[in-house]
Structures are given as C-alpha cells and as structure tokens.
Amino acid sequence: MLPAMHAPDDTIFALASGRGRAGVAVVRVSGPGAGAALQQLAGRLPPPRLAQLARLSDPADGEAIDQALVLWFPAPASFTGEDVVEFHVHGGPAVVSGLVLALARLPGLRPAVEGEFTRRAFENGKLDLTGAEALADLVAAETAAQRRQALRQLSGTLGTLYGGWRDRLVRTLAHTEAAIDFPDEDLDPRLERAALEAAAGIAADIARHLADGGRGERLREGLDVAILGAPNVGKSSLLNLLAGRDAAIVAEVAGTTRDVIEVQLDLGGWPLVLADTAGLRASDDVVELEGMRRAAARAERADVRLILVDARTWPEMPPAVAALCGADALIVANKIDLLAGPLRADASGRLPLPLSVTSSEGLPALLAALEQAAAERLDAGQAPVLTRTRHRLALEEALAALERACVPGVRAPELRAEDLRQAVRAIGRILGRVDVEDILDVVFGEFCIGK
Ligand code: GDP
C-alpha cells in the first residue's frame, strides 16, 4: 500500500529494469538527496543529462561496486520533476544488490514503493492520471496494437480530449453562476442559451465517445474468443494448435475438458484470449454439467463465439450447440481430412470454414477470419478511445448530469449549476484534477516497484 502522503524530503530508489541476470540494469533515484547520492558513489556530479562513465564504490567501506554509466537530471527537467539520478550498471544480481545496499545506507534514502516514481511525476504535474495509466499500459503491452494505444494515450490524446471538455464545462458553469450571482445585472439571455447549447454539445460528444463498443477497454484485455462445440470435435486440439503448446488436455474420451482453459494469442498485433470450453451434449454427470454451465457462461460473455463442428456430421449437431450458431458466430468444420465428399451447406445455405487440426489445412483462413474479427472489434483508428472502466463510469456520470442540466426551461439555474459542477468534477476525476486521493491508490497500485 502507498503511504497517503510523502515527506517532501524523502529520496527514493529502486531497480527500474527487470529482475534477474541481464546485460544492463537501471537503478533510479529521485528526490532532493539524489545528487548527493551520486556524488558519494561516483565521486563527482556529471553535467546534466549527459551519460558518463564512472567507477561506483560504496561510501561506507570503499568497496568497488561497478564500472557504470551514470545520468544526472536536476529538477525540474526529469521524469518525476525532482532531482533524478540513473545508474546503468551491469545487470548481475551482486552488482545490483551492492548498489541498492549502498544507497539504502545513505541518510534520507529509502526504497520506493509500487508506482511511486510515476506518482511523484503526477504530483509534480509531469503527467495527468490518463498519462500515468498509459505508462502502466505501455509497460504491460504485449501486442503491437496495445502498445500503439498506450503510446497514443501517453502522448496526451485522452488527457487533451477530456481536459478540453472539462475546460469548456468550467466556462459554461461560470456563465450559469454569473446569472445566479448577478440576477439584477440584466445579463444577456443569449449567454445562458449559449451556455446550455455548449453543455448539450459536450453531452453529445461524450455520448458518441461512450458508444465505441468498448474498443479501448477490450484492446487492453484482449478479444475474448470462446471455442464451443460438442465433445470430441477437436476443441482442445485446436486450442493447442493455435497456442503452439499443450495448453489443454487432448484425449480420445469424450468430455475431458471440464473447466475453461485460456491461452493468450497475438494475432497480427491484436491480443486474443482463447478459451477452450467443456463439450456441449446431453449428460447427467454432475462435474460435466458444471463444465457445461461454465461453457455457457463463457459463451454468453465472449466477443467471438467460435463454434467447432465435425465436418462429417455437419449440419447435424446437439441442440445446445445449434442454439449458439447465431448469425455472428464463426462456424468452423473440423476433421475435413476424414470427410469423404465435399462439405455441405446447412438448410439456410451456410457453409462453415473447413479445417483439419491434424493436417493444418484451413488454418490460414481461420487465422485470417479471427484477425479480421479482432480488427473489427478492437480497431479504433487514430481516434482517442476510452481505455478503462474508471473513465467510462466517470463519463457516464458526467453525461447524466449534463442531460439533467440541459432540460430546457425546467431546471432552476441553481440546480443547473450543480449539475454542471458534478459533470466538471466527474471529468476532472479522470484526469486527477479534483477529488483525486481516493482513486490514486487504484491507479498507482497497478505499477510495480521502480516504475
Ligand atoms: P474436444 O473434446 O472437442 O476438445 O476434442 P479433442 O481436441 O480432445 O479431440 C478429440 C479427438 O479428435 C482427438 O483424438 C483428436 O486427436 C482428434 N482430432 C482433432 N482434430 C482432428 C482433425 O482435424 N482430424 C482428425 N482426423 N482428428 C482430429
């Protein structure tokens, strides 16, 4: 847990790169004691923002630690806005622990807690909360599309959009409050009308932004693809083929997958979460029924339902499977290597994608179909997209308040001003510009130490 308040003279340090053996490890120090720490370990303070080679030794006993690159970023031109020092040392565990121990022994220095560097950057106005979240997303990004989204957000696209709405609402609020505070001043009634129109315009912008089908949030999580079908059609085999490793148990006995097994996949830069589910068939085995219940729940919330059928029996299938073959389902007929004739269409002329997991025939077409499904549901182009439920909830609150404010002629100006204030507060919360304490821990808790 983060301390709610920092002593301003605290100097923090942490390993900023990954743990374990590596070519280079980076240890970062931030706070008023950073420069002195560098001076004591390296014997001098290099010129600002220029990498310099230095021999580091522990000031306590003179013991050599490493031959390293050191960087000195005096405040405020640093990541945190404080004095910052970076030690780029050789990434051996003994080097890192020697350096960290030497730093810990210096007076006024202490190890950083999760997200503390970024939190200081936020508190010193280096980035808003959407920027801090973008950093967390960038560190967590596993596919190219996730990386692009995080980078866009880090460059300030979301912060600028929300900040723009907030600033416009603050102006509208000022006009409304002027009408309340100076009722005798005979303020131009057009001002009030203009204020209302502005609020309605922002409400429309927010509503459009919210109606994005959850693209940004889904891109962070990965597109949820459920593999569904009767037992023994090859669901586990398909998952293993796609995952390139034995993630699910494949067996000849029907009904072996009784839980939901997931693998993550990077398809053309899009993140997919594939889930293998229990086979759907009539059964009275309690464990199997529980597996089927989970499969049904998974089917319910999946973004894409991949229905696997046996090419030889298609279009016949258990009613539970047929019920899932809606227009948006991706139907795949497996085991075409065992099919004697051509694949038939069903009564409505529907022809599944042909596949043989055994021979990999049809796999490129299936991957292309999945990639297309991902692009359709995740691609937001260049537009700034909502990436977190936290943003969505705040914007929904702002929208509801604005809709109340915009009911023409009915709302008393005082109530209308309160609505606008609530909308300003809600949007400000996304950026961290008001009432932030309660959400700070949530945001920075996502970081690991050293970020
Ligand atoms: P699940 O119950 O739907 O998960 O099915 P499994 O993946 O366990 O597969 C059932 C059986 O079908 C296994 O013996 C697989 O080796 C076999 N199988 C899976 N896909 C194919 C295929 O494309 N062709 C052939 N000939 N056999 C397959």
Side-chain angles (χ1 to χ4, degrees):
M1 247 307 101
L2 286 171
M5 299 284 285
H6 312 280
D9 54 356
D10 254 10
T11 297
I12 53 172
F13 63 88
L15 178 66
S17 52
R19 262 161 222 295
R21 219 175 293 271
V24 177
V26 179
V27 171
R28 195 152 51 172
V29 187
S30 179
L38 176 55
Q39 209 152 14
Q40 292 193 64
L41 267 78
R44 67 195 146 91
L45 206 57
R49 286 175 297 284
L50 280 180
Q52 293 237 318
L53 197 60
R55 212 182 140 73
L56 303 180
S57 51
D58 190 337
D61 52 14
E63 172 88 19
I65 299 171
D66 194 9
Q67 182 93 347
L69 271 188
V70 293
L71 281 152
W72 162 232
F73 303 93
S78 72
F79 172 64
T80 57
E82 304 175 324
D83 284 349
V84 168
V85 163
E86 278 182 20
F87 295 96
H88 294 228
V89 294
H90 293 102
V95 175
V96 172
S97 63
L99 174 57
V100 163
L101 265 177
L103 288 170
R105 280 202 282 257
L106 294 177
L109 266 70
R110 65 162 172 84
V113 298
E114 287 89 346
E116 202 172 4
F117 287 92
T118 314
R119 182 167 183 159
R120 289 188 174 194
F122 164 73
E123 282 168 355
N124 290 322
K126 288 283 168 179
L127 32 74
D128 66 25
L129 278 187
T130 65
E133 287 169 333
L135 260 185
D137 286 353
L138 193 56
V139 172
E142 292 195 354
T143 76
Q146 289 175 323
R147 182 189 67 221
R148 267 180 237 122
Q149 171 163 296
L151 267 179
R152 262 203 306 275
Q153 186 172 328
L154 185 63
S155 73
T157 45
L158 263 196
T160 307
L161 179 71
Y162 298 160
W165 285 340
R166 184 178 181 275
D167 293 348
R168 276 160 67 195
L169 281 175
V170 167
R171 280 198 299 278
T172 309
L173 176 62
H175 289 155
T176 309
E177 284 185 332
I180 301 168
D181 293 345
F182 310 105
D184 306 329
E185 294 285 310
D186 243 0
L187 284 174
D188 189 343
R190 277 177 307 184
L191 257 185
E192 163 121 55
R193 218 175 315 122
L196 264 188
E197 277 168 17
I202 297 168
D205 286 349
I206 294 179
R208 249 196 315 277
H209 183 67
L210 280 170
D212 69 344
R215 281 164 195 280
E217 292 143 297
R218 266 192 212 168
L219 180 55
R220 287 186 63 241
E221 307 282 325
L223 189 78
D224 194 339
V225 180
I227 304 177
L228 300 150
N232 246 354
V233 292
K235 296 182 298 301
S236 306
S237 310
L238 173 60
L239 186 84
N240 290 342
L241 178 68
L242 292 172
R245 64 187 159 93
D246 284 356
I249 317 139
V250 185
E252 295 274 4
V253 195
T256 40
T257 309
R258 287 172 168 176
D259 209 331
V260 176
I261 293 164
E262 286 186 353
V263 295
Q264 294 185 1
L265 218 64
D266 177 343
L267 209 54
W270 303 112
L272 271 72
V273 181
L274 280 173
D276 179 18
T277 60
L280 301 168
R281 63 168 180 179
S283 166
D284 42 19
D285 178 297
V286 184
V287 181
E288 193 179 352
L289 281 172
E290 173 57 20
M292 288 201 265
R293 195 193 59 72
R294 289 184 196 182
R298 194 50 202 248
E300 189 66 35
R301 72 173 166 92
D303 297 318
V304 174
R305 281 180 272 283
L306 192 164
I307 316 290
L308 204 60
V309 297
D310 190 316
R312 296 167 297 176
T313 49
W314 162 264
E316 276 144 44
M317 59 189 123
V321 179
L324 296 170
C325 286
D328 60 344
L330 176 61
I331 307 178
V332 178
N334 189 30
K335 307 195 186 184
I336 51 163
D337 53 299
L338 301 177
L339 186 65
L343 193 59
R344 284 165 294 154
D346 70 357
S348 60
R350 203 161 168 185
L351 202 60
L353 273 180
L355 177 73
S356 166
V357 171
T358 312
S359 72
S360 293
E361 191 185 341
L363 184 64
L366 172 60
L367 290 178
L370 282 174
E371 190 175 330
Q372 191 191 337
E376 275 167 14
R377 290 166 177 83
L378 304 180
D379 193 3
Q382 292 303 310
V385 285
L386 213 149
T387 51
R388 286 175 194 246
T389 311
R390 185 179 84 78
H391 308 168
R392 184 172 292 282
L393 294 177
L395 288 176
E396 281 170 356
E397 182 187 330
L399 181 59
L402 288 179
E403 282 169 347
R404 279 196 303 278
C406 291
V407 178
V410 182
R411 206 89 171 134
E414 288 80 1
L415 293 177
R416 188 171 287 158
E418 189 45 42
D419 295 333
L420 289 172
R421 219 171 285 126
Q422 193 184 347
V424 167
R425 269 199 304 264
I427 297 177
R429 247 187 354 252
I430 304 180
L431 301 164
R433 302 219 340 225
V434 275
D435 317 323
V436 285
E437 271 311 316
D438 52 334
I439 44 172
L440 289 185
D441 287 351
V442 177
V443 171
F444 292 102
E446 292 176 17
F447 284 86
C448 30
I449 291 170
K451 303 290 174 324

